[in-house]
Structures are given as structure tokens and as C-alpha cells.
């Protein structure tokens, strides 16, 4: 159990530094070291290491508030550290290993195996990041060739770990045909337009209630895709990640289902003016279309039409390649 916010460690002969006991948030394993893909936007980690999304440009005040709230939780907090509420690699590894043993689904086990291997590499990298930060803090604004050389040594270790990470993570491109991957890239492009809709609402059938949600491109359990993975959110915290041949229904990093894409029905519908009742007008305002996934009892409403229709059409084309 962590008690103090920092601890003194020996980083090399003749050099001891204080390193933080707080978790170090970074995008290691998510994208390459110097990569500026997706406009150089921030990676926002959500919960456990290896999962999060790339912040997109948006004029939506509610989306920016959504991102700010998540980033606020990443600020160092002694109380969160003391209570074990900060991300924890050991806990994530234990949960993933347990889920891998209990699962009878080969697809899920393969994903979890890659996730466990990735977590092992990332755990070592995260500690080195804190060591580097400790050296910087000790050096301050004064130049010190010895400490700079030590820091460079640790940074070279991180670069080596990047290569190690690439060899253990799940690469989307390696698990589907070239035709399927090309169709999937088209789906991701169309999904980007859907996610950019200013308003997305979720319909909770059981309560007849409408709640605003956000779509993004992100990462689940370090799964690597050149264009990231489409993610749809349920207000209850469940995330739906779209892969070339499956939909991941994730309740947590280790608690998820893998549903074959060919078994899913994803349909779009344009809303006629006469379809809107008083409740919808009051809550949805300018809703113009919807997406339904009956197998998951999901219904999303949007204030655009063309982007929605094009996305669903691209998914249909993707399914034809499977």
C-alpha cells in the first residue's frame, strides 16, 4: 500500500532521486513515440491502462466538458492514491489473467493474452517514466551532464520497450484479410463523421428517457489499429468497440464480450417530421436520424442524416467481406 507521495530510489551509481508514487499517465503503446496522427490531439485514458480515446476537434461545449471532467480525474490526488483509486498495473494484470482463465471464447482469450503481455511491458515503462520525471525534477533548470546522460539512458530503454510493445499487442491488420481491412478503414472514416455530429442522444427504452452521449475513435486493451477503433458509449458505462469482424461489448477492460459482426443488425432511419412527438421535441430538439442495433437494444439519435446513412452503408459493405 502506498503511503507517501514519493519515494527515494537509486537510479544509477552515485545518483538517488525522489520518484512519484502517483500513476504516470501517458500514451505509451497507444501510438508511436513521435507520432502526430489524428491531428496531434490528446490521448485521454479512461480507467485502466491501454484503454481510452483520442480527443477530437469539436465545437460542442458539452463534449469539451466531458473531456475536461475525465482529465481532471488524472490530476495527482493523495487521497485517490491512498485509497487505491489510481490506475494500477498489478490489479489490471490480475483481472485480465483471471478473465483469460475463465473464458471459453478463443477470440476473447487471444485478446486478453495480448493485453496481459502489453500490460507487463507498459508496467515497466511507466516506472521508467516516473524515474525520468524524478531526474528532471532534481536537475531543475540547471544543466548537469551526468544527469542528462543518465536520463538519456532511461529514455533509450523506453524506445526499446516501444519495439517490445509492437511485438505483443493485437494488430487489427494482422487478423483480417486485405479486402476486409480496406473496408474497415472506410467504416472508420465514415464513423469519424458520425462522431463529429454536434448532438448524439441515447434512447433508454425501459425508461423512455433520452441522454446525450459521445462517440470517439479510441483504443481498447492496447489493440492497435492505424486509424484507431470506433467506440460508441452507453450511459451506463458500457463501451462498444467496432473491429473488422466483431463488436466488443466492454463493461471493463477484462469484463467484455466479443460478438461477431455478421450476427448484428445495424440499421439507420431518417426521422420524418410527423414522427417527432412532444417528448422528443423537448429533449432531442433537431434530431434527424437514428441508428438501431436491436441485438444490444441500442438506439442512438443524431442531428444529421447523410453521415449516418453513409456509415451504416459502409458497415454493410464490411460485412459482405466477412
Amino acid at each position: 500500500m502506498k503511503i507517501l507521495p514519493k519515494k527515494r530510489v537509486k537510479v544509477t551509481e552515485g545518483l538517488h532521486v525522489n520518484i512519484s508514487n502517483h500513476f504516470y499517465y501517458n500514451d505509451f503503446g497507444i501510438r508511436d513515440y513521435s507520432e502526430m496522427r489524428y491531428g496531434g490531439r490528446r490521448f485521454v485514458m479512461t480507467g485502466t491502462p491501454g484503454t481510452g480515446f483520442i480527443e477530437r476537434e469539436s465545437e460542442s461545449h458539452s463534449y469539451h466538458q466531458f473531456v475536461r471532467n475525465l482529465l481532471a480525474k488524472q490530476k495527482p490526488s493523495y487521497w485517490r492514491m491512498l485509497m487505491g483509486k489510481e490506475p494500477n498495473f498489478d490489479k489490471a494484470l490480475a483481472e485480465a489473467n483471471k478473465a483469460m482463465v475463465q473464458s471459453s471464447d478463443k477470440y476473447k482469450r487471444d485478446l486478453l493474452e495480448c493485453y496481459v503481455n502489453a500490460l507487463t511491458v507498459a508496467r515497466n515503462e511507466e516506472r521508467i517514466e516516473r524515474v525520468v520525471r524524478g531526474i528532471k525534477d532534481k536537475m531543475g533548470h540547471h544543466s548537469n551532464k551526468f544527469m542528462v546522460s543518465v536520463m538519456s539512458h532511461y529514455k533509450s530503454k523506453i524506445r526499446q520497450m516501444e519495439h517490445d510493445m509492437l511485438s505483443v499487442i493485437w494488430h487489427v491488420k494482422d487478423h483480417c484479410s486485405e479486402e476486409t481491412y480496406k473496408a474497415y478503414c472506410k467504416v472508420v472514416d465514415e464513423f469519424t463523421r458520425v462522431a463529429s455530429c454536434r448532438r448524439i442522444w441515447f434512447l433508454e427504452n425501459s425508461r423512455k428517457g433520452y441522454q446525450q452521449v459521445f462517440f470517439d475513435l479510441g483504443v481498447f486493451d492496447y489493440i492497435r489499429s492505424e486509424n484507431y477503433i470506433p467506440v460508441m458509449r452507453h450511459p451506463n458505462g458500457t463501451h462498444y468497440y467496432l473491429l473488422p469482424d466483431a463488436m466488443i461489448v466492454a463493461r471493463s477492460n477484462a469484463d467484455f464480450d466479443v460478438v461477431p459482426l455478421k450476427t448484428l443488425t445495424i440499421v439507420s432511419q431518417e426521422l420524418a417530421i410527423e414522427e417527432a412527438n412532444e417528448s422528443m421535441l423537448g429533449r432531442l430538439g433537431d434530431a434527424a436520424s437514428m441508428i438501431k442495433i436491436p441485438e444490444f437494444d441500442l438506439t442512438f439519435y443524431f442531428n444529421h442524416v447523410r453521415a449516418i446513412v453513409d456509415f451504416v452503408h459502409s458497415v454493410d459493405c464490411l460485412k459482405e467481406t466477412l
Side-chain angles (χ1 to χ4, degrees):
M1 180 179 178
K2 300 176 183 177
I3 300 296
L4 300 176
K6 290 187 177 183
K7 63 179 177 181
R8 182 175 173 80
V9 299
K10 179 181 178 180
V11 296
T12 191
E13 193 65 37
L15 180 61
H16 289 74
V17 300
N18 293 322
I19 68 170
S20 174
N21 276 327
H22 291 288
F23 179 84
Y24 188 90
Y25 289 87
N26 63 19
D27 58 4
F28 175 79
I30 304 302
R31 48 188 174 186
D32 296 335
Y33 187 71
S34 59
E35 182 184 328
M36 294 299 290
R37 188 183 298 145
Y38 207 80
R41 305 297 291 177
R42 289 180 295 185
F43 169 70
V44 182
M45 197 182 103
T46 51
T48 307
T51 295
F53 65 97
I54 306 298
E55 180 188 17
R56 54 183 166 79
E57 294 184 1
S58 174
E59 296 180 357
S60 169
H61 172 75
S62 54
Y63 179 74
H64 290 304
Q65 187 60 50
F66 167 70
V67 174
R68 282 195 295 268
N69 290 341
L70 290 173
L71 291 174
K73 295 179 181 178
Q74 298 182 5
K75 293 181 179 178
S77 164
Y78 178 73
W79 177 253
R80 290 183 66 237
M81 184 197 76
L82 194 63
M83 293 294 100
K85 294 184 179 298
E86 290 187 344
N88 185 291
F89 280 104
D90 292 335
K91 181 179 178 181
L93 278 164
E95 292 176 347
N97 274 308
K98 181 179 178 181
M100 184 166 54
V101 171
Q102 295 177 342
S103 177
S104 59
D105 183 276
K106 185 180 184 304
Y107 202 131
K108 181 178 179 178
R109 287 201 313 272
D110 289 346
L111 288 175
L112 285 169
E113 183 179 358
C114 289
Y115 184 46
V116 167
N117 293 334
L119 282 172
T120 303
V121 176
R123 176 174 57 182
N124 294 329
E125 190 278 341
E126 188 265 350
R127 183 185 180 280
I128 292 179
E129 290 278 13
R130 288 187 283 119
V131 169
V132 170
R133 181 72 265 173
I135 296 173
K136 286 182 178 179
D137 290 342
K138 184 165 186 173
M139 187 167 55
H141 298 293
H142 304 287
S143 178
N144 185 305
K145 290 183 178 179
F146 172 60
M147 283 193 277
V148 168
S149 66
V150 174
M151 191 161 53
S152 297
H153 169 70
Y154 278 101
K155 286 184 176 181
S156 68
K157 283 188 174 183
I158 293 176
R159 286 191 288 271
Q160 179 57 50
M161 287 181 177
E162 287 180 343
H163 294 292
D164 296 339
M165 196 68 159
L166 288 174
S167 67
V168 299
I169 58 179
W170 175 283
H171 292 271
V172 169
K173 196 172 185 178
D174 295 340
H175 293 85
C176 63
S177 67
E178 184 176 344
E179 180 188 13
T180 296
Y181 187 72
K182 182 177 180 181
Y184 178 67
C185 289
K186 177 65 175 176
V187 169
V188 175
D189 288 341
E190 297 297 346
F191 182 85
T192 302
R193 295 173 56 210
V194 173
S196 298
C197 290
R198 187 172 178 82
R199 292 286 186 270
I200 304 175
W201 299 270
F202 173 78
L203 170 62
E204 183 65 67
N205 288 325
S206 61
R207 294 182 296 139
K208 300 298 182 183
Y210 301 88
Q211 296 176 264
Q212 186 176 8
V213 294
F214 304 100
F215 288 5
D216 277 296
L217 293 181
V219 177
F220 177 69
D221 285 3
Y222 288 115
I223 297 174
R224 177 65 74 97
S225 174
E226 291 182 359
N227 299 312
Y228 300 104
I229 304 170
V231 52
M232 299 179 284
R233 297 182 176 93
H234 191 291
N236 68 6
T238 302
H239 290 61
Y240 298 84
Y241 297 91
L242 181 61
L243 295 180
D245 59 347
M247 183 83 80
I248 294 177
V249 183
R251 294 166 290 277
S252 72
N253 291 68
D255 180 15
F256 62 89
D257 301 318
V258 181
V259 182
L261 186 59
K262 292 190 73 173
T263 67
L264 297 179
T265 305
I266 304 177
V267 296
S268 64
Q269 180 181 337
E270 183 176 354
L271 296 178
I273 296 178
E274 59 269 17
E275 290 183 46
N277 54 43
E278 185 176 347
S279 172
M280 291 176 65
L281 289 174
R283 292 174 178 267
L284 302 186
D286 55 351
S289 63
M290 68 168 73
I291 285 179
K292 285 189 176 183
I293 308 179
E295 290 80 4
F296 299 145
D297 195 22
L298 295 178
T299 304
F300 296 103
Y301 288 87
F302 307 84
N303 63 340
H304 290 81
V305 176
R306 177 48 53 190
I308 311 308
V309 173
D310 290 345
F311 167 67
V312 172
H313 175 68
S314 67
V315 172
D316 290 338
C317 293
L318 170 62
K319 291 168 69 174
E320 290 177 0
T321 68
L322 300 176

